[in-house]
Amino acid sequence: MAIAEYRTQDIKQSRQLEYWNEVICKEFTQLECSISGRGAYRGELTSWNLNPIQFAQVRADPSAVNHTHWQVSKSTEELYLIHLQTEGESLNVQAGREAYLKPGDFTICSSKEPYAVCFERAIEMFVLRVPSAILHQYVVAPEGDMMAHRFSGEDFLGSLISGLLMRLWLNKISFDDSLSNANICTSILSLLAAQLERVTPGAATESSVRNAHMQRIKHYIERHLADPELSPGSIAMANALSPRYLRLLFEAEGVTCSRYVNQRRLQQVARDLANPMARHLKITEIAYRWGFNNQSHFSRAFRDQFQCSAQDYRQAQLSDGS
């Protein structure tokens, strides 16, 4: 799990603000933080890379953060930054609008235009760094229509989004594989698309609907991998979809539903084969545990996936770890 932590308290006081500016430019986009006075400055940032979304928690003393015209010209990526207030209050300004955030509220900024974030007292906020190309897979609203709106943490969708992000952060140590991260990102972006639809009608795209379906289907598959009766037909029925629509959803990802299930089972088998704590289990036991019910079929599928037998794979993995 890719987590990075930064603290100005660990830096010589005369360099604290300079260090903080280096950190926020590295983790977000080109920014400049300014403070009144020359005393010690407390800034703490913990970053969690979900790929493609970067999720960060920021705690900072009173200051003003600016993304100026000059810094826009220096930015190498086109990004959206979602600011979710968790403690204190902040003023977020962009595109001629102002969003005054209290705990639970959030807003969106774009790296393509100047913006400012100001707070007169110490704050804590979450910042999601989302590549523009990724967000636009879910949302088609004009960029200017999305900026600096205050999304209340007190309405249904706002509270759902802020609550999800807070719980994810508290439980981030539990998510350490690419499938979990992809599902998390899909959930977040689908909810954001739904919220943006309320401010800018027509913002939600057909792809956000497809992604929501795929998220639900993949969660269902993960929960039922061990069931040898799991099939495209049972998956479609359980998720209230037609078999044809299920097939089209997976075709858009370049794989059939059956092959996806098979790949996930093989990945879980491979994980257990590489686990020293499972060395006492027979390979067939592990395979049957993950929904395979034919030894010959399993052996062929495993060799096709990993270019070696399950026995050779296990020996290689356990010897590497010894």
Side-chain angles (χ1 to χ4, degrees):
M1 180 171 55
I3 291 182
E5 296 182 339
Y6 309 91
R7 286 164 39 94
T8 59
Q9 297 93 312
D10 300 330
I11 303 300
K12 184 178 176 182
Q13 181 174 319
S14 60
R15 277 208 68 240
Q16 285 178 341
L17 189 58
E18 177 186 358
Y19 170 77
W20 187 243
N21 276 309
E22 292 171 359
V23 167
I24 59 178
C25 286
K26 174 179 178 290
E27 293 296 320
F28 302 135
T29 187
Q30 292 294 310
L31 296 167
E32 183 178 4
C33 176
S34 59
I35 60 174
S36 59
R38 297 184 178 182
Y41 181 79
R42 180 189 68 103
E44 300 175 1
L45 189 152
T46 303
S47 175
W48 176 24
N49 188 0
L50 284 168
N51 190 23
I53 292 177
Q54 185 172 301
F55 193 177
Q57 181 187 59
V58 178
R59 295 187 177 100
D61 279 345
S63 49
V65 179
N66 287 280
H67 182 61
T68 65
H69 283 287
W70 182 83
Q71 285 153 341
V72 169
S73 69
K74 296 295 182 181
S75 298
T76 58
E77 295 180 85
E78 293 186 2
L79 304 163
Y80 289 103
L81 298 160
I82 293 93
H83 298 159
L84 168 64
Q85 199 77 28
T86 51
E87 292 182 13
E89 300 174 354
S90 68
L91 178 64
N92 298 252
V93 182
Q94 189 172 45
R97 286 191 290 269
E98 296 183 350
Y100 191 78
L101 304 185
K102 296 183 178 181
D105 299 341
F106 67 93
T107 193
I108 300 177
C109 296
S110 168
S111 67
K112 291 174 63 177
E113 298 290 339
Y115 70 83
V117 184
C118 309
F119 36 99
E120 297 179 352
R121 294 182 176 82
I123 58 98
E124 177 185 281
M125 68 166 49
F126 289 135
V127 180
L128 271 68
R129 183 181 186 271
V130 185
S132 297
I134 299 296
L135 186 61
H136 285 305
Q137 292 176 13
Y138 294 77
V139 176
V140 294
E143 188 170 272
D145 291 350
M146 296 190 291
M147 302 304 98
H149 284 286
R150 172 183 167 268
F151 297 99
S152 172
E154 296 181 355
D155 71 17
F156 174 72
L157 267 178
S159 64
L160 190 61
I161 293 168
S162 59
L164 170 65
L165 295 178
M166 290 177 187
R167 289 184 66 83
L168 282 174
W169 185 259
L170 290 174
N171 294 281
K172 60 185 178 296
I173 193 121
S174 302
F175 299 95
D176 59 358
D177 66 79
S178 58
L179 180 66
S180 294
N181 291 354
N183 287 335
I184 291 169
C185 292
T186 296
S187 300
I188 293 170
L189 293 170
S190 296
L191 286 171
L192 282 172
Q195 181 68 292
L196 287 167
E197 170 75 5
R198 302 177 67 188
V199 174
T200 56
T205 68
E206 182 183 350
S207 66
S208 67
V209 176
R210 291 197 304 268
N211 285 324
H213 282 313
M214 286 303 297
Q215 175 198 353
R216 187 175 74 255
I217 291 164
K218 288 180 178 179
H219 284 166
Y220 179 84
I221 290 171
E222 291 302 306
R223 294 196 304 272
H224 295 85
L225 274 179
D227 181 1
E229 300 300 319
L230 185 68
S231 68
S234 66
I235 293 167
M237 181 177 295
N239 288 275
L241 300 172
S242 71
R244 180 179 178 275
Y245 188 60
L246 181 74
R247 184 175 67 253
L248 292 174
L249 287 172
F250 277 95
E251 282 180 0
E253 298 204 347
V255 67
T256 65
C257 179
S258 295
R259 183 163 180 77
Y260 176 83
V261 170
N262 208 47
Q263 288 174 342
R264 287 298 302 139
R265 283 175 168 160
L266 289 168
Q267 289 164 0
Q268 296 295 75
V269 170
R271 185 195 66 178
D272 287 351
L273 291 176
N275 182 359
M277 300 297 291
R279 66 168 70 236
H280 65 286
L281 296 174
K282 294 179 180 179
I283 291 174
T284 51
E285 289 182 75
I286 294 173
Y288 286 11
R289 172 185 287 183
W290 288 109
F292 290 100
N293 58 6
N294 182 292
Q295 185 174 352
S296 297
H297 167 68
F298 162 72
S299 297
R300 289 194 302 271
F302 193 94
R303 186 178 291 276
D304 288 344
Q305 179 82 2
F306 296 100
Q307 288 75 56
C308 66
S309 70
Q311 181 64 38
D312 289 344
Y313 181 90
R314 176 182 244 182
Q315 289 177 349
Q317 293 297 313
L318 295 179
S319 62
D320 287 347
S322 60

